[in-house]
Amino acid sequence: MAEPDTSQLFHVVVLLAAAVVAVPLFRRLGLGSVLGYLAAGVVIGPFGFALFARPEAILHVAELGVVLFLFVVGMEMRPSHLWALRRQIFGLGPLQIGACGLVLTGCGLLLGLTPPVAFIAAFGFVLTSTAIVMQMLAERGDIAMPRGQKMVSILLFEDLLIVPLLALVAFMAPAQAGDAGGSRLLSVAIAAGSLAALVAAGLFLLNPLFRLLAAARAREVMTAAALLVVLGAALLMEMGGLSMAMGAFIAGVLLSESTFRHQIEADIEPFRGLLLGLFFLAVGMSLDLAVVAADWRFVLMAVPLMMLAKALCIYAVARVLRTGHIDAVDRAVLMAQGGEFAFVLYSAAQAAGVLPGEINNAMTAVVVLSMALTPLAAIATRRARRRDSEPVPDGVEPASGQSGSVLMIGFGRFGQVVSQSLLARDVDVTIIDSDVEMIASAARFGFKVYYGDGTRLDVLHASGAGSARAIAVCVDDRVAADRIVELAQSAFPQARLLVRAYDRAHKLGLVAAGVDVAIRETFAAALQFGEAALRELDVDPEEAARVTAEVRKLEIERFELERSEGIGAGAGMMRNNTTGPQPTPLVRPRRQAKVIGADDGEPAADTPGDADVPGAPPRL
């Protein structure tokens, strides 16, 4: 009997072990997960312990991580929002890429390359790593910020640029048979047809498909359908000669307004994280140290020269377009590396006879090294960004190294009341606020409140969000609350998230975003106020309590209806003062008579607070 082949299982175990060991270690050192994956890939790759002989095979599969990542990003980009970014995509993108391409071509000539080879090498390096930039933006919580949106716009244009660059490589290839022009036109037609087919399927097929599968109530089938949509869109674009990542992004945009968006995102997330980590591991394994050693002079000159030249161009373009110094430096540092599309372009150029094999190997090593150096460059500039940020006012202590079980953000009237329940049970609470007068006032009553802006990721880290069991967002600014929720969900998934909601619409948005608890800031007090008003009108206390419970129950039902059908769907369930008397009496009759409304046998009211707990079902 033949022995089972365990080599594949061994490789899977090695990959998982490398990620589990390296990523927490590098994040603990403040170096970020991307650098951890890259370093682990170098160690286990053919030029480390040689546990893997063909990293390119893993890299090909791991590219699906980038595809899934772009799909998730696409679901956050509604068509209206994407249309609002059109000037950045087709304005800022071409300007930055054109300037960087010209300067980097000049750098290639300085390195001794011929003009055609220098051009291909330069434009391969211009194509920034979508995976690295998006991952670093996600870790910082900056994707939705204006500086993050500009980088996303440029990356989208670069994904589109790979198509004309590959066509240009075919045009630069040595003369062949005379039907090249016809084949290029056919390729363009196929690409356009693939794009049109994807858009048509997204508009007319995807939502009915997911509605049908949701009715079947088979969770695993929904997950399979989500993967089918992503991978099918990627395959369709690849067959059309376009970018797989761009296909997945378009599919995400088409599903961005679907009622199944959050369900699909939850199904995709585990695969996205694992495959994206595998991609970074494979990039680390692809670093050919033998090539670096054989052509070390070229690599040693090319890496700093091309990274510095690209960073300076990006900074100059940003400043010309009136971007602030800090954001311009941030963009220049994050986008100064080459990317995964360079591998595709260099391989195609070598196959077409435009790029010599030794230059392909050397430039691939240059790109991989630049990808590895980018997280280090970002860390090196972090202090400079902090020095230029808003100074801490005198008389307050900034948050630094805190580690409470609960992190409370905002200590106004709402937060002060919330704190009493926690402190009554001796819960270790860390409190931060950005109002200096409030901090001083709280200190007079014996409270220790640290100065800090909860919308900044570095402040949340310094406040102990990474070890907190719960994060209580008690700020009275709904925009700030949404920003904190976004940061906390991406960077601190271990913490339960409790958020003060400004109003009904805000609470609906928070529940849709997946917070653990959302409390409307005035709801409970308004119910108590209404019950007190009934008592002052000589309504029997038991009847006043019953009416209040009925209002609470109706509120739960209305909220659940609006969660599924959108805000305003439950408007008809509200009592108002323009439609005449309501069938339920507000005052118990003083003598026996025929009951014309709901009787006293109505079910018991929900417990206080249920109307403000996301997902709490109405007790009917």
Side-chain angles (χ1 to χ4, degrees):
M1 181 176 178
E3 293 184 1
D5 182 10
T6 61
S7 61
Q8 298 298 324
L9 181 59
F10 172 76
H11 287 157
V12 172
V13 171
V14 168
L15 289 170
L16 293 175
V20 168
V21 171
V23 173
L25 176 62
F26 273 70
R27 294 199 70 163
R28 181 84 175 181
L29 296 173
L31 300 177
S33 59
V34 174
L35 194 58
Y37 282 120
L38 294 173
V42 173
V43 170
I44 66 177
F47 309 101
F49 289 119
L51 300 177
F52 293 85
R54 296 182 61 248
E56 63 276 2
I58 297 177
L59 185 62
H60 184 70
V61 175
E63 285 177 355
L64 294 178
V66 184
V67 168
L68 293 174
F69 194 92
L70 265 293
F71 176 75
V72 173
V73 172
M75 285 200 293
E76 301 298 329
M77 297 277 189
R78 299 177 183 271
S80 58
H81 181 59
L82 199 59
W83 178 252
L85 293 176
R86 65 191 185 280
R87 292 185 179 177
Q88 295 180 13
I89 297 174
F90 297 104
L92 177 58
L95 183 59
Q96 176 175 307
I97 291 166
C100 291
L102 291 176
V103 172
L104 291 176
T105 300
C107 293
L109 295 175
L110 289 175
L111 292 169
L113 303 178
T114 62
V117 173
F119 177 83
I120 295 298
F123 273 87
F125 200 86
V126 162
L127 301 176
T128 308
S129 173
T130 300
I132 286 182
V133 174
M134 296 295 284
Q135 178 73 7
M136 294 180 70
L137 288 175
E139 288 181 356
R140 288 170 18 179
D142 279 353
I143 289 182
M145 297 293 285
R147 57 177 174 270
Q149 291 289 281
K150 289 181 180 179
M151 284 187 252
V152 170
S153 300
I154 297 168
L155 292 171
L156 291 176
F157 184 80
E158 289 179 354
D159 284 349
L160 291 171
L161 189 64
I162 188 62
V163 178
L165 283 177
L166 290 174
L168 187 60
V169 164
F171 181 80
M172 294 171 64
Q176 298 177 356
D179 62 346
S183 65
R184 291 191 191 106
L185 289 176
L186 180 61
S187 299
V188 172
I190 293 175
S194 300
L195 185 60
L198 176 60
V199 173
L203 292 176
F204 302 109
L205 296 180
L206 291 187
N207 271 314
L209 170 66
F210 283 107
R211 195 174 296 113
L212 180 65
L213 295 176
R217 299 184 181 277
R219 176 67 183 271
E220 68 279 3
V221 177
M222 285 287 287
T223 303
L227 289 172
L228 174 64
V229 168
V230 181
L231 301 183
L235 177 62
L236 183 61
M237 290 296 99
E238 186 181 41
M239 293 173 61
L242 298 171
S243 160
M244 289 194 299
M246 180 55 63
F249 176 81
I250 294 173
V253 172
L254 293 172
L255 283 170
S256 63
E257 295 184 344
S258 168
T259 55
F260 304 99
R261 179 170 69 92
H262 297 291
Q263 177 67 49
I264 296 170
E265 188 173 350
D267 291 337
I268 290 292
E269 182 62 28
F271 301 97
R272 180 200 69 80
L274 282 173
L275 287 173
L276 195 60
L278 183 61
F279 171 81
F280 293 129
L281 283 169
V283 169
M285 285 187 257
S286 301
L287 180 58
D288 194 334
L289 298 180
V291 171
V292 175
D295 206 358
W296 64 272
R297 291 183 181 84
F298 177 86
V299 174
L300 192 62
M301 289 188 297
V303 172
L305 177 62
M306 300 193 83
M307 287 188 72
L308 183 59
K310 185 177 180 183
L312 289 175
C313 278
I314 294 172
Y315 178 83
V317 170
R319 295 295 283 162
V320 166
L321 296 180
R322 299 181 180 179
T323 298
H325 169 71
I326 298 299
D327 287 350
V329 170
D330 188 47
R331 190 188 310 168
V333 170
L334 289 187
M335 304 190 75
Q337 88 284 106
E340 51 274 6
F341 283 127
F343 307 147
V344 178
L345 185 66
Y346 293 158
S347 297
Q350 181 180 351
V354 178
L355 196 68
E358 61 274 13
I359 299 298
N360 178 18
N361 294 334
M363 284 304 303
T364 298
V366 168
V367 170
V368 174
L369 282 172
S370 72
M371 294 168 74
L373 290 173
T374 295
L376 290 175
I379 293 170
T381 58
R382 188 179 300 164
R383 285 185 180 177
R385 290 202 306 272
R386 285 179 180 172
R387 282 199 303 269
D388 292 335
S389 61
E390 182 181 355
V392 177
D394 295 332
V396 296
E397 182 180 348
S400 178
Q402 271 63 54
S403 58
S405 298
V406 175
L407 171 60
M408 179 176 291
I409 305 170
F411 199 59
R413 292 173 298 170
F414 189 92
Q416 291 166 20
V417 175
V418 172
S419 71
Q420 295 305 293
S421 299
L422 298 172
L423 296 173
R425 292 298 303 271
D426 293 326
V427 176
D428 187 8
V429 182
T430 298
I431 308 171
I432 65 172
D433 202 296
S434 57
D435 186 336
V436 177
E437 292 184 2
M438 192 286 306
I439 294 175
S441 176
R444 290 195 293 271
F445 289 89
F447 288 95
K448 181 62 176 179
V449 180
Y450 296 94
Y451 178 82
D453 181 358
T455 62
R456 288 176 48 186
L457 186 60
D458 58 334
V459 171
L460 294 178
H461 275 293
S463 304
S467 59
R469 294 178 57 191
I471 298 176
V473 184
C474 302
V475 297
D476 59 359
D477 182 346
R478 62 180 300 171
V479 175
D482 291 341
R483 170 69 176 152
I484 296 169
V485 166
E486 181 184 348
L487 290 174
Q489 287 182 325
S490 62
F492 314 110
Q494 89 290 343
R496 304 280 290 178
L497 197 54
L498 300 89
V499 188
R500 170 187 181 178
Y502 176 75
D503 57 15
R504 184 182 203 81
H506 189 207
K507 180 182 174 182
L508 283 168
L510 292 171
V511 172
V515 303
D516 297 292
V517 176
I519 303 293
R520 278 166 58 193
E521 58 189 27
T522 58
F523 180 74
L527 281 179
Q528 293 177 2
F529 193 101
E531 183 174 342
L534 290 177
R535 291 181 178 184
E536 291 300 314
L537 294 174
D538 297 327
V539 176
D540 183 78
E542 291 185 5
E543 175 67 10
R546 190 189 67 81
V547 171
T548 300
E550 183 179 300
V551 172
R552 184 188 298 277
K553 173 185 169 186
L554 194 65
E555 165 69 14
I556 294 173
E557 296 174 359
R558 179 185 167 206
F559 188 82
E560 290 300 319
L561 180 63
E562 291 183 329
R563 285 185 64 187
S564 60
E565 299 183 17
I567 192 166
M573 303 172 68
M574 296 181 64
R575 295 179 173 89
N576 59 61
N577 62 349
T578 60
T579 56
Q582 299 298 310
T584 302
L586 291 179
V587 180
R588 184 185 298 275
R590 297 184 182 274
R591 58 186 177 83
Q592 295 297 323
K594 181 180 179 180
V595 178
I596 60 173
D599 59 27
D600 292 335
E602 201 164 349
D606 292 320
T607 57
D610 279 353
D612 282 311
V613 178
R619 301 175 186 175
L620 302 177

